[in-house]
Amino acid sequence: MRIVALVPGGISDQILFFPTLDDLTQNYPEAEIDVVVEPKSVGAYRVCKSVKDVFAYDFTDRNSLADWGNILGTIRDREYDIAISSNQTWLAGLLLWLTGIPKRIGYRSQGQLFLTTSVPQKSEQYTAAMYHDLLQGLSITSACPPVAINVPKQDIQWVETEQKRLGISDSGYLLIQIGQGENSYPIENWRQIIQDFQQRQPSLPVVLILDANSQLVVSQLLQSFPDLKVTAPEDLGKLAAMIAGSSLLLCTDSAAMQLGVGVQTYLIALFGATDPKKVLPESDRILVIKSPSGKLADISPNTILEKVWAG
């Protein structure tokens, strides 16, 4: 049996879809499962154990006829038995219909005309559970399993070397993901938080995650705190392994947060406008701090620190 899933969205959306893919594997252990995702999200499947092949396709309707024909041809050539789509557009439904896949499952929406089975979309719930509801189209009614991350062995080895380089192999560490764009948190607030951590827990190293969007803030924080550690994992597997080795992850709503959920590390997540209940499960390992105004910058450092030291 061959199954294909169409999953638009970013890295976080893909990770939240992992439980659905894992449950498919559980119920169809002999099946080969492929996914079609946006180009920016292909890297998420480095840490997914349930997918064989990943195909890139831009779901935002900016494709040429050649792009459309290529993905249609790729799907048709593989002769899938089942297609599952979290994309609600009529264009995605038309694509699946043209592939000739005998069983096509999606949400009740404008594209349902082209589906063989549609299920109601309960968008008010945890997103992973909402995605998992699609399996009702296959008469799978089990509860949504937790997000699980499969970290490649070579990425674990990379982190062991990285921890030695940073001098944190035996001490544990606080890992901070700065955030970006609307999910960025003011640098002055980060300075206050880092200073407080270093004063209260001087033996606990503070490690910043460096990526293309945080270079300026990280460099400014290093000017204030030269003893900060900096790590720059080049893919999600290495980032997941780095998070798994931390004592605590302090982050905004991000892919790093979802990886933290997947590796079951303790995390403190800062939220602006997003409803935490839609992107995080209930867990005693997760502490959520949400801005009362909907703006991340309006969360005071004192609020965060009080939550941290209150345990």
Side-chain angles (χ1 to χ4, degrees):
M1 177 181 288
R2 308 196 76 168
I3 302 172
V4 63
L6 276 61
V7 192
I11 295 290
S12 293
D13 295 293
Q14 308 306 315
I15 297 173
L16 288 165
F17 202 85
F18 285 4
T20 299
L21 297 168
D22 292 345
D23 223 1
L24 273 174
T25 300
Q26 182 70 25
N27 283 272
Y28 298 98
E30 303 302 320
E32 290 185 359
I33 302 173
D34 300 334
V35 291
V36 180
V37 303
E38 293 177 28
K40 64 182 179 181
S41 301
V42 170
Y45 289 88
R46 184 180 181 89
V47 294
C48 180
K49 62 185 178 181
S50 295
V51 166
K52 183 176 184 291
D53 290 320
V54 183
F55 302 103
Y57 177 73
D58 191 344
F59 288 97
T60 56
D61 299 343
R62 292 195 296 264
N63 298 287
S64 66
L65 286 176
D67 294 329
W68 172 270
N70 286 338
I71 193 64
L72 178 59
T74 297
I75 295 176
R76 286 181 66 92
D77 288 347
R78 297 216 158 204
E79 299 183 343
Y80 293 107
D81 302 286
I82 300 170
I84 298 174
S85 176
S86 64
N87 191 313
Q88 301 180 70
T89 65
W90 70 269
L91 198 59
L94 175 62
L95 174 67
L96 287 182
W97 179 66
L98 291 172
T99 64
I101 297 173
K103 193 165 188 64
R104 306 180 299 278
I105 302 166
Y107 294 118
R108 291 174 190 164
S109 63
Q110 55 183 314
Q112 72 181 66
L113 173 67
F114 301 106
L115 304 174
T116 59
T117 307
S118 62
V119 301
Q121 183 188 31
K122 300 176 182 178
S123 57
E124 73 283 354
Q125 63 180 325
Y126 177 39
T127 301
M130 180 190 76
Y131 288 149
H132 190 263
D133 285 345
L134 289 166
L135 299 187
Q136 293 173 9
L138 296 170
S139 300
I140 298 173
T141 58
S142 55
C144 177
V147 170
I149 300 297
N150 183 48
V151 182
K153 182 178 179 180
Q154 62 266 34
D155 294 337
I156 296 173
Q157 293 171 339
W158 178 88
V159 165
E160 291 172 349
T161 301
E162 179 74 348
Q163 290 172 345
K164 290 178 181 177
R165 181 187 72 84
L166 295 173
I168 57 175
S169 298
D170 303 319
S171 60
Y173 49 93
L174 166 66
L175 188 62
I176 296 179
Q177 176 264 337
I178 298 295
Q180 55 184 294
E182 294 181 357
N183 276 336
S184 61
Y185 192 56
I187 187 170
E188 287 303 321
N189 293 8
W190 282 123
R191 284 194 179 103
Q192 186 174 334
I193 290 168
I194 291 170
Q195 183 178 36
D196 191 85
F197 262 98
Q198 290 188 333
Q199 289 176 348
R200 293 184 186 236
Q201 293 283 346
S203 62
L204 182 68
V206 178
V207 181
L208 304 182
I209 299 171
L210 176 66
D211 56 37
N213 299 293
S214 64
Q215 290 179 349
L216 179 60
V217 176
V218 169
S219 65
Q220 291 174 336
L221 288 172
L222 282 171
Q223 292 175 12
S224 302
F225 307 98
D227 56 342
L228 286 176
K229 314 288 185 179
V230 178
T231 186
E234 62 187 20
D235 56 56
L236 285 190
K238 295 176 179 60
L239 178 56
M242 197 71 194
I243 292 171
S246 67
S247 303
L248 174 67
L249 171 65
L250 177 56
C251 61
T252 60
D253 176 18
S254 60
M257 180 187 76
Q258 295 299 342
L259 292 174
V261 173
V263 299
Q264 299 184 19
T265 196
Y266 286 95
L267 67 88
I268 298 173
L270 311 181
F271 279 84
T274 304
D275 182 355
K277 293 181 180 178
K278 291 188 177 182
V279 294
L280 284 175
E282 293 185 5
S283 171
D284 58 5
R285 290 178 172 265
I286 300 172
L287 178 61
V288 170
I289 302 176
K290 190 177 186 320
S291 169
S293 69
K295 296 180 179 179
L296 200 64
D298 289 340
I299 301 175
S300 75
N302 287 334
T303 297
I304 297 171
L305 293 168
E306 286 171 4
K307 293 281 189 179
V308 170
W309 304 123

